[in-house]
Amino acid sequence: QVQLAESGGGLVQAGDSLRLSCAGSGRTFRSSAMGWFRQAPGKEREFLAEISSMGIVTYYAESAKGRFTVSRDNNKNTLYLQMNELKPEDTAIYYCAAATSGIGTAYNYWGQGTQVTVSS
């Protein structure tokens, strides 16, 4: 079982940067692929990025490529999402998730989310 808790959200202006963190519990975190998702009001949840258990492989959605970077520190059981050049359309609740069967498999544990609001 993996427990996840996001932090680092807030209100920023367009063009600003923000780094989200996701603290995980247990050894399962280190063996899990991890991902970031977001959900804007009235929209479906959207995949942003994922990273393999050792941090070697990463995948990004087109909407995240070039501005967002996913990384992890298994010594700290923490996942990160560095977001640069933020836009008002990036406003959403951001979630981290764990895929305990590895990258490319279903995400079976989710955090509660952290709100990111980008003002124009």
Side-chain angles (χ1 to χ4, degrees):
Q1 188 173 0
V2 181
Q3 293 183 325
L4 304 171
E6 303 93 338
S7 63
L11 173 63
V12 297
Q13 293 186 334
D16 286 351
S17 296
L18 204 58
R19 188 177 78 160
L20 304 182
S21 299
C22 171
S25 64
R27 291 184 297 173
T28 309
F29 175 91
R30 300 173 186 177
S31 62
S32 299
M34 298 296 298
W36 284 101
F37 298 75
R38 69 184 179 187
Q39 188 165 19
K43 295 187 177 180
E44 293 187 353
R45 186 169 58 199
E46 174 190 15
F47 165 78
L48 293 174
E50 62 183 350
I51 187 168
S52 60
S53 60
M54 297 300 293
I56 297 172
V57 178
T58 57
Y59 293 110
Y60 293 91
E62 285 300 320
S63 60
K65 285 181 181 178
R67 294 190 301 126
F68 295 180
T69 303
V70 61
S71 63
R72 65 191 298 165
D73 184 343
N74 284 346
N75 290 325
K76 297 181 178 179
N77 275 13
T78 304
L79 173 74
Y80 302 100
L81 184 68
Q82 177 68 41
M83 304 186 294
N84 298 325
E85 300 176 19
L86 284 163
K87 306 173 183 180
E89 51 264 43
D90 293 319
T91 295
I93 299 174
Y94 284 69
Y95 300 92
C96 64
T100 55
S101 295
I103 199 165
T105 65
Y107 283 88
N108 44 353
Y109 293 98
W110 295 81
Q112 294 298 307
T114 185
Q115 176 72 48
V116 173
T117 303
V118 185
S119 64
S120 58

